[in-house]
Amino acid sequence: MDDLFAELDDGAPQELAAGVVLLRGFVREQASLLLAVAQITQAAPFRQMSTPGGYVMSVEMSNCGALGWIADRHGYRYVAHDPLTGEPWPAMPEAFLALARRAGLEAGFADFSPDVCLINRYVPSTKLSMHQDKDEADFSAPIVSVSLGLPAVFVLGGLQRNDPSQRIGLSHGDVLVWGGPARLRYHGVLALKHGNHVELGACRINLTFRQAA
Ligand code: MD3
Ligand code: FE
């Protein structure tokens, strides 16, 4: 497990594969991000969504921004209103936008302008099965992922479901940016291991910034 977290925080962006850039320890405003997540999820509570196939996802999700990603029996899509409350999703905080832009730029993607932040909450044993992120209108925009709380093992596959995969450890404050030739690679998260994070307790939060419209 140790070398999954190799090359911890020497400051430089690491290109793990074409279009996949890891920024170890990139987040400098953890406390304010976590406060914002608490405020957002007070208005738009974390919930487990059901897939069209009838499975309940183990990860709990919420969103902020002009749009939010949802799954239900009809499929996967972006919607402007939270189906739980009927209200528009909470606005994306300026600090979220600034972080996502700064990460995109650092990874070589200028003009990243996300309209969605999907917020994923993992507790021990929560996992995310291998999938592609393909519900966005334009795949030329990258996705920026911010990891907070307990460490997780992220699985990076290829463009076909059965391609070989590699495993990457993601810790509190790490940012992963993927785009270009990597934009449609399969990926997932292994079951979260037990642990206690100083700020978040037995929990991992992942923010994914997307340009959906
Ligand atoms: C590399 N979230 O919300 S983010 C998702 O940690 C999702 O919660 C995971 O996958 C999480 O859809 C992983 C990192 C990530 C996401 C998508 C990728 C890395 C990727 C797509 C292609 C390549
Ligand atoms: Fe994904």
Side-chain angles (χ1 to χ4, degrees):
M1 175 101 168
D2 296 342
D3 51 356
L4 290 174
F5 297 89
E7 300 174 66
L8 265 169
D9 200 10
D10 69 349
Q14 301 170 42
E15 186 155 32
L16 301 178
V20 183
V21 179
L22 176 58
L23 307 168
R24 288 278 190 213
F26 190 74
V27 179
R28 311 189 277 224
E29 62 270 57
Q30 283 100 345
S32 55
L33 291 185
L34 290 172
L35 183 63
V37 168
Q39 288 167 343
I40 290 162
T41 55
Q42 207 164 347
F46 282 120
R47 82 291 307 264
Q48 287 174 283
M49 298 183 187
S50 297
T51 69
Y55 292 96
V56 177
M57 300 178 73
S58 66
V59 57
E60 294 185 300
M61 298 177 158
S62 184
N63 292 274
C64 65
L67 295 171
W69 185 87
I70 64 162
D72 64 17
R73 61 162 66 179
H74 305 293
Y76 307 105
R77 63 203 180 277
Y78 287 95
V79 295
H81 292 80
D82 179 352
L84 209 57
T85 63
E87 297 292 320
W89 297 103
M92 190 173 324
E94 235 6 92
F96 277 31
L97 203 55
L99 171 63
R101 287 226 169 94
R102 186 166 69 85
L105 213 55
E106 183 79 7
F109 298 95
D111 304 321
F112 180 47
S113 189
D115 50 7
V116 176
C117 175
L118 172 64
I119 307 173
N120 292 337
R121 181 172 187 272
Y122 297 75
V123 295
S125 86
T126 301
K127 65 175 168 52
L128 188 61
S129 303
M130 294 296 279
H131 66 277
Q132 293 172 295
D133 291 10
K134 56 180 184 187
D135 302 319
E136 301 75 25
D138 180 0
F139 301 137
S140 67
I143 294 182
V144 169
S145 150
V146 175
S147 290
L148 298 166
L150 286 180
V153 177
F154 172 74
V155 184
L156 174 62
L159 293 173
Q160 308 291 328
R161 186 176 280 282
N162 293 318
D163 286 346
S165 61
Q166 63 184 99
R167 293 173 175 201
I168 303 153
L170 292 177
S171 297
H172 185 68
D174 292 346
V175 174
L176 196 57
V177 182
W178 69 97
R183 179 61 181 75
L184 289 174
R185 287 177 75 144
Y186 278 86
H187 58 279
V189 179
L190 298 187
L192 197 75
K193 289 197 172 172
H194 289 271
N196 253 292
H197 184 265
V198 278
E199 280 143 287
L200 274 163
C203 168
R204 169 177 187 260
I205 300 279
N206 180 265
L207 311 176
T208 51
F209 293 94
R210 299 132 185 271
Q211 207 168 293

